[in-house]
Amino acid sequence: MHLRIEGHTLPGRACGPGPDFPGVSGIEVAVQRKDRPAELLDPQPGDAPTVTWTLPCTFAADGGLRGPYVHNRLGGRFVYLSWVGRQPQEEASRMFRRAKLMLADVPPEVLAEARRRGTLVGRLALTDAKGRPLCGRVAPPAVVWSAGEPAHT
């Protein structure tokens, strides 16, 4: 079983300053490994036309997904998309935002079909209403879940 995340409408490589925020440059987005915030899968530039990650996963006894990139905390299972970049006067990149894709919000019929077909697909825009990197809890309609065919490798 795979979980494929397909992102579009990325915010760009820089995010200007705002109230209580000094701004960020060199923006990238990646999937955060479970319980390892510094371990990011396949960072993609913030100005890419689209981004895609394919994550291995299995079904838990309760029917939910689990895997190396699936977090399971209070409120349900989810995947973190972490935004990294450099703030003014910094040389090294660091995480400055995260989007939490809530797997608990996948409709049961979509999850059942994804299990049958081999892939659950989540499609979403990665820019918020202010033109900044998407962050916070992400649930439908901001993410559209569907069943897909496994990627050919």
Side-chain angles (χ1 to χ4, degrees):
M1 176 74 188
H2 290 99
L3 170 60
R4 188 169 61 238
I5 300 168
E6 299 176 353
H8 60 87
T9 316
L10 281 81
R13 296 282 288 170
C15 183
D20 301 321
F21 183 71
V24 178
S25 63
I27 294 174
E28 295 180 322
V29 62
V31 176
Q32 178 186 312
R33 189 172 179 93
K34 178 175 135 186
D35 299 326
R36 298 181 191 171
E39 193 173 321
L40 301 176
L41 175 68
D42 196 18
Q44 298 292 310
D47 61 353
T50 62
V51 293
T52 302
W53 298 273
T54 301
L55 314 174
C57 57
T58 59
F59 279 90
D62 64 6
L65 294 177
R66 66 178 176 185
Y69 299 95
V70 177
H71 302 255
N72 188 13
R73 303 269 190 269
L74 295 175
R77 290 184 173 93
F78 59 91
V79 172
Y80 270 136
L81 297 182
S82 294
W83 295 95
V84 295
R86 292 180 304 284
Q87 293 186 347
Q89 313 305 319
E90 292 182 339
E91 290 186 27
S93 291
R94 64 182 174 104
M95 183 179 56
F96 68 96
R97 282 189 159 185
R98 290 191 293 196
K100 191 176 190 180
L101 303 183
M102 301 306 299
L103 299 173
D105 295 330
V106 175
E109 63 277 6
V110 171
L111 192 58
E113 181 65 11
R115 186 175 195 168
R116 189 183 72 72
R117 294 176 69 181
T119 303
L120 176 64
V121 180
R123 292 181 183 88
L124 70 158
L126 294 176
T127 301
D128 70 14
K130 295 181 180 178
R132 296 180 186 254
L134 181 68
C135 68
R137 184 182 176 106
V138 181
V143 58
V144 176
W145 295 106
S146 64
E149 298 299 327
H152 298 286
T153 56

